[in-house]
């Protein structure tokens, strides 16, 4: 199981419907397919999504850090030596999605070598997750129409509503319209991607008080340290740290500092190895987690559901697993399907990622 080659292949697939949120917008999935090859002929696969507005990575930087630093550093190690692999990857600061993709590709190799699904190796709690759909910025009536379409087509009944616009009352109007249209049985929570100040966030939460929201995520910047603590102390609902608490140490800092009371776990940025550390940390502290979405394609979504379904505490809330629905195409031979609001893990060995060579040839950017 010796690592002999690490490929970083840039590809680009347009979105049919761009996603807009307070920190940016996505029109094209300009991701990087990561493939780790072993001397025994096994290939582990994952994808890295560049999110410059969140982590500073670009498609070019992900390819460069893998080609120039990570591949030469980990060649010769085996897929069983993940601690050693991470020690070497962590000589480079940052670059979370590049590191995460390498980690998940190694787990894919382990699953294939063992003839077992990765989800089972990670914990094997269940074989599916309820799906939460992210509703991006649009006029309130368009946001309602999208949520109704997604509910009627896929049976999804949990929605994360992007907020953080100015004036904040635009988002209050949108959330109110969603609750009125979808009724009391649908679960709604909000994510501000640091778009508001603490005082705007407090007023928005007050005006949304009757809407039965489950969570509030990153409404204001965690770097506004005292203002954020002030807000979180007053929040009537759990306050999720997403981009402010990615590594285990950041999770500790934000939770113990009172800047968050729940955590978003994204395999796209912490892979399986560090996501498990974050999850166990949250379990030990008695903090709820939500499986978040890094605006993943189908490969990333498969990784996310494999991890979420593997763990009891990660599958208690609906996972954000539906952003791929807005892409015009993807790389998998057999596309993912969401039915009755549920996404299942892939049975079989490894992660079950089978890439369609024709699609890869069509969308890759390096040839
Ligand atoms: C989310 O939960 O914030 C948007 C920016 C990002 O980093 O992730 C997405 C979704
Ligand atoms: Mg978020």
């Amino acid at each position: 199981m010796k690592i002999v080659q690490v490929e970083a292949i840039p590809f680009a697939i347009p979105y049919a419907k761009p996603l807009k949120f307070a920190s940016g917008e996505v029109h094209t999935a300009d991701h990087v397919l990561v493939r780790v090859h072993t001397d025994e002929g096994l290939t582990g696969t994952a994808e890295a999504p560049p999110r410059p507005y969140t982590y500073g990575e670009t498609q070019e930087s992900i390819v460069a850090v893998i080609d120039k630093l990570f591949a030469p550093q980990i060649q010769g190690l085996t897929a069983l030596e993940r601690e050693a692999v991470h020690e070497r990857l962590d000589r480079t600061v940052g670059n979370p999605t590049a590191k995460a993709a390498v980690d998940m590709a190694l787990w894919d190799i382990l699953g294939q070598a063992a003839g077992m699904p990765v989800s089972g190796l990670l914990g094997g709690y269940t074989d599916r997750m309820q799906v939460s759909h992210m509703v991006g910025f649009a006029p309130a009536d368009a946001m309602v129409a999208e949520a109704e379409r997604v509910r009627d087509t896929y049976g999804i009944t949990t929605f994360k509503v992007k907020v953080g616009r100015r004036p904040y009352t635009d988002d209050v109007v949108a959330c109110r319209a969603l609750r009125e249209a979808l009724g009391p049985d649908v679960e709604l929570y909000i994510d501000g991607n640091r778009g508001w100040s603490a005082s705007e966030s407090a007023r928005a939460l007050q005006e949304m008080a009757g809407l039965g929201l489950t969570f509030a995520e990153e409404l204001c910047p965690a770097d506004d340290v005292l203002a954020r603590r002030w807000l979180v102390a007053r929040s009537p609902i759990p306050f999720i740290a997403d981009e402010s608490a990615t590594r285990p140490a950041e999770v500790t800092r934000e939770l113990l500092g009172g800047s968050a009371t729940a955590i978003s776990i994204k395999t796209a940025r912490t892979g399986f190895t560090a996501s498990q550390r974050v999850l166990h940390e949250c379990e030990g502290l008695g903090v709820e987690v939500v499986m978040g979405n890094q605006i993943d394609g189908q490969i990333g979504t498969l990784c996310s559901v494999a991890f979420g379904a593997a763990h009891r505490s990660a599958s208690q809330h609906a996972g954000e697993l539906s952003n791929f629905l807005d892409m015009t195409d993807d790389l998998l031979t057999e596309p993912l399907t969401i039915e009755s609001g549920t996404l299942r893990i892939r049975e079989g060995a490894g992660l079950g990622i089978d890439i369609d060579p024709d699609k890869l040839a069509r969308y890759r950017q390096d040839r």
Side-chain angles (χ1 to χ4, degrees):
M1 275 202 290
K2 202 171 268 188
I3 299 165
V4 292
Q5 191 196 359
V6 184
E7 283 184 285
I9 304 170
F11 66 94
I13 301 176
Y15 270 80
K17 193 177 92 44
L19 180 71
K20 300 186 180 177
F21 44 96
S23 57
E25 46 187 77
V26 172
H27 295 260
T28 304
D30 52 351
H31 298 180
V32 179
L33 182 71
V34 174
R35 292 206 282 211
V36 178
H37 302 276
T38 69
D39 58 348
E40 290 165 339
L42 295 178
T43 300
T45 307
E47 72 175 329
R51 297 288 165 254
Y53 32 80
T54 312
Y55 312 115
E57 293 175 292
T58 64
Q59 191 182 47
E60 293 78 6
S61 79
I62 291 169
V63 172
V65 81
I66 290 176
D67 284 352
K68 295 205 171 128
L69 296 176
F70 296 169
Q73 282 170 346
I74 67 171
Q75 273 159 19
L77 291 173
T78 76
L80 279 174
E81 296 172 299
R82 286 185 318 288
E83 282 289 300
V85 167
H86 279 286
E87 182 184 42
R88 295 188 188 182
L89 299 184
D90 288 342
R91 289 176 189 161
T92 305
V93 298
N95 296 282
T97 73
K99 291 175 182 170
V102 171
D103 178 76
M104 293 188 288
L106 292 178
W107 277 92
D108 190 21
I109 290 169
L110 288 182
Q112 292 175 45
M116 295 175 191
V118 169
S119 201
L121 291 176
L122 287 168
Y125 179 66
T126 177
D127 64 352
R128 68 198 73 185
M129 282 190 82
Q130 288 294 313
V131 175
S132 162
H133 182 72
M134 217 179 274
V135 183
F137 289 170
D141 56 349
M143 292 170 75
V144 168
E146 184 195 338
E148 287 177 333
R149 177 181 61 79
V150 166
R151 179 197 58 191
D152 298 343
T153 312
Y154 303 103
I156 293 174
T157 56
T158 302
F159 296 93
K160 167 154 120 173
V161 187
K162 285 298 191 183
V163 299
R165 288 180 282 196
R166 291 200 163 103
Y168 74 87
T169 44
D170 286 356
D171 291 325
V172 176
V173 167
C175 288
R176 198 170 287 142
L178 283 159
R179 176 57 83 205
E180 276 166 17
L182 300 171
D185 296 336
V186 158
E187 183 174 340
L188 296 177
Y189 58 109
I190 54 174
D191 182 3
N193 289 112
R194 301 160 278 140
W196 289 330
S197 64
S199 56
E200 285 169 310
S201 307
R203 292 178 71 183
L205 281 175
Q206 215 165 33
E207 290 176 38
M208 293 183 191
L211 300 182
L213 302 178
T214 322
F215 296 109
E217 178 171 321
E218 297 284 6
L219 297 186
C220 71
D223 279 357
D224 296 348
V225 179
L226 293 183
R228 168 92 166 226
R229 287 183 194 171
W230 174 89
L231 176 68
V232 172
R234 277 154 190 80
S235 176
I237 47 180
F239 195 102
I240 299 177
D242 172 11
E243 56 266 43
S244 64
T246 60
R247 297 177 297 109
E250 288 171 341
V251 170
T252 308
R253 208 174 292 144
E254 296 306 304
L255 288 172
L256 296 190
S259 291
T261 44
I263 293 294
S264 172
I265 294 182
K266 294 183 176 175
T267 51
R269 68 176 173 222
T270 33
F272 297 139
T273 305
S275 291
Q276 224 166 28
R277 289 184 181 160
V278 169
L279 181 70
H280 292 159
E281 185 181 356
C282 291
E283 286 176 0
L285 290 167
V287 162
E288 288 180 80
V289 306
V290 172
M291 289 305 299
N293 194 315
Q294 202 54 76
I295 322 176
D296 303 308
Q298 295 195 17
I299 299 168
T301 304
L302 211 43
C303 291
S304 202
V305 72
F307 183 89
H311 300 94
R312 184 185 55 77
S313 54
S315 54
Q316 295 307 295
H317 294 287
E320 296 162 11
L321 300 164
S322 65
N323 288 68
F324 72 86
L325 293 173
D326 291 331
M327 286 168 62
T328 52
D329 201 359
D330 216 303
L331 298 183
L332 293 186
T333 307
E334 193 195 324
L336 298 186
T337 51
I338 296 174
E339 283 162 16
S340 308
T342 297
L343 182 67
R344 287 167 179 263
I345 61 167
R346 287 261 148 105
E347 303 293 345
L351 287 165
I353 296 169
D354 188 24
I355 302 294
D356 182 327
D358 294 334
K359 290 191 174 185
L360 181 57
R362 188 176 329 147
Y363 296 117
R364 68 189 296 166
Q365 304 288 292
D366 56 346
R367 289 201 179 142

